[in-house]
Each structure stands twice: as structure tokens, then as C-alpha cells.
Amino acid sequence: MEQLKAEKIGTIVARDFRTAKIFTEYGLDFCCGGGISISEACQKKGLDEADLLRKLEGLDSRSKDLRFSQMKPVELINHILEKHHRYVEETLPSLTLYLEKIEKVHGELHPELAKINQLFSAAAAALTVHMKKEELILFPFIQSMEKAKNERIDLPKPYFGHIDNPISMMEDDHAAEGERFVAISTLSQGYTPPADACQTYKVAFAMLDDFEKDLHVHIHLENNILFPAARNLYKELMPATSELN
């Protein structure tokens, strides 16, 4: 238990994905904020550390969920594209429509809806560009690295220089979206619709809640599993370049 509480949250989730649900229940960010230990996180949030540790240790190690950390980079990229990029693409149009509608109908009594709509609109635009950068630049290069390793062929140096350059940009984008959704969650009282909310209002907030949860998993898979694997692969294939950066 002593060793577990000193581990970084992101590392724990990378090892056993089921722990993500427990951290979410305690309001702990395992993606953008996954770089701190359980002890640090509990201290900051005023949580019962012993209770959290008991729940984590109570997971049955014989029946773990899909172990994303054991996937090859290309397999993980395919999962991210099929599960998370597709989710964002399919959800943005309807959620944007609902938020615009409830702002028009309920905005006078609930002025926070204007800010929520503004923040989500900015997130939608940023995520659309972000995903295209991954799909057209970073992910194909990671795939080419895995192919070069498997086929033992030379890997040309990418036009963007060191792999840290695009990865750092993606990590900065992730941090920005994490902060944006903290603001949305705060404005919406944790996605709790008011007493006078219509059905569209309730659906919009439920969808926002689900969108943020999916985004946390999406960012976690990239920040804590895919990107470290890609950096290691680049170092293995291009050691001279890695030493210079």
C-alpha cells in the first residue's frame, strides 16, 4: 500500500485501466493531472487516502480489462481513431445544436449557458484541428516507426525534426482542453441541470458530462501510453538524433 500511494495516477491507470473509474469517482484527473501521486492528489482534494487505496487494491487482478499499455502503438492508434476520434466527430454536431438551443430558450434565466456554449464551441474547433494534426502528421509517423522497426528498414528523419516537437504540441492542446472542461464543469455545477430544465437541457448536460469523460480517457491513452511509447521507439530508431535533443 505504501508503494501504491507514492505512484503517479497516470502510471496506475496505464497499468490497469479499470482504476480510471475509481479515480473519476473521487474527482481525480488521471489524464492531464495524472503526473502526481495518490498522496499528493488526496492531500490537495482533502480525500480519504486509505479509502481510495482500499478500493484500488480491491480490484481483482485475475480479471483485468483491456490492457492498453500492452498494445503496440499502431494497435493503440487504431483504437483511439475508432473509439475516441469517431466519438468526437459524431457527437460535436448534435451537442453544439443542443447547447445553442438551450442558450436561446433558457439563457435569460441562466446566463452561464452563454459562457458554456462559448467554451464548448472553442473546444469543438480546437479538437477538430487537433485530431487532424494527429491523423495527418503524428500518427502516420508513429506507424512508420513501427513499420521500420518490424521490417528493419531505415527511418527518414521527419520534416518536423524531433518527435518531441509534435508530441509536445499535442500535450499542450490536451492541457488546454482539460482546463476548458474544468471551466465548463464548474459553470454547469458538475453538469447538474436546474429544476426548470427542459428535456433538451437535461440531454445537453448529460452529453457534456459524457463528452468530458471520453476526453479524459482519450487524453490518458495518448499522454500516458502512446506518447511515451512513441518517444521510446524514436530513441531506439534514431539514437543519434535523440541524444542531440
Side-chain angles (χ1 to χ4, degrees):
M1 187 174 287
E2 288 296 319
Q3 182 178 352
L4 182 60
K5 70 180 185 181
E7 281 196 82
K8 293 181 179 179
I9 292 175
T11 302
I12 295 169
V13 177
R15 185 171 62 245
D16 185 350
F17 195 68
R18 297 171 305 158
T19 59
K21 183 178 180 181
I22 295 175
F23 287 125
T24 299
E25 289 173 357
Y26 280 80
L28 296 177
D29 180 4
F30 59 84
C31 55
C32 300
I36 63 174
S37 68
I38 288 178
S39 290
E40 290 176 277
C42 288
Q43 187 175 5
K44 285 184 177 181
K45 286 266 192 176
L47 300 172
D48 187 334
E49 180 183 296
D51 185 59
L52 173 57
L53 290 169
R54 278 194 295 271
K55 287 193 175 182
L56 292 171
E57 293 191 329
L59 291 173
D60 184 358
S61 61
R62 293 170 299 176
S63 59
K64 292 186 185 297
D65 284 353
L66 185 60
R67 297 288 294 272
F68 292 104
S69 60
Q70 295 180 353
M71 282 185 173
K72 293 180 180 179
V74 169
E75 293 175 323
L76 187 54
I77 285 172
N78 288 337
H79 173 80
I80 290 169
L81 291 173
E82 293 170 9
K83 173 71 174 177
H84 300 290
H85 282 210
R86 181 179 296 178
Y87 171 83
V88 172
E89 291 167 353
E90 292 178 350
T91 306
L92 285 181
S94 55
L95 184 49
T96 297
L97 180 65
Y98 294 156
L99 289 174
E100 290 175 351
K101 182 177 180 179
I102 65 174
E103 181 191 348
K104 289 178 182 178
V105 176
H106 299 274
E108 187 174 349
L109 291 177
H110 299 283
E112 70 278 3
L113 289 175
K115 185 61 176 178
I116 291 172
N117 192 13
Q118 178 187 352
L119 286 167
F120 184 77
S121 179
L127 283 169
T128 299
V129 173
H130 173 87
M131 292 191 305
K132 286 303 176 186
K133 289 178 183 177
E134 290 184 333
E135 292 168 9
L136 298 176
I137 300 171
L138 181 57
F139 288 177
F141 181 69
I142 295 174
Q143 291 166 330
S144 70
M145 286 199 298
E146 188 167 318
K147 180 179 180 181
K149 179 180 179 179
N150 292 339
E151 298 181 7
R152 298 183 179 181
I153 58 178
D154 291 337
L155 177 70
K157 185 175 179 179
Y159 73 89
F160 50 70
H162 197 282
I163 196 172
D164 276 344
N165 295 329
I167 286 181
S168 294
M169 289 178 63
M170 297 303 99
E171 290 173 332
D172 288 345
D173 287 351
H174 291 166
E177 294 316 308
E179 291 175 5
R180 197 161 3 229
F181 270 88
V182 167
I184 293 174
S185 179
T186 300
L187 286 165
S188 63
Q189 303 295 316
Y191 307 110
T192 304
D196 62 337
C198 64
Q199 190 61 29
T200 302
Y201 203 137
K202 294 175 183 177
V203 169
F205 271 30
M207 289 180 69
L208 272 176
D209 188 14
D210 188 65
F211 194 94
E212 183 184 25
K213 286 183 171 67
D214 182 85
L215 187 63
H216 282 179
V217 175
H218 183 173
I219 291 174
H220 161 70
L221 293 177
E222 293 182 1
N223 281 9
N224 297 325
I225 303 178
L226 179 62
F227 293 168
R231 283 182 165 118
N232 288 335
L233 193 52
Y234 184 88
K235 186 175 181 180
E236 178 183 346
L237 295 172
M238 307 189 76
T241 304
S242 299
E243 290 171 4
L244 295 175
N245 289 270

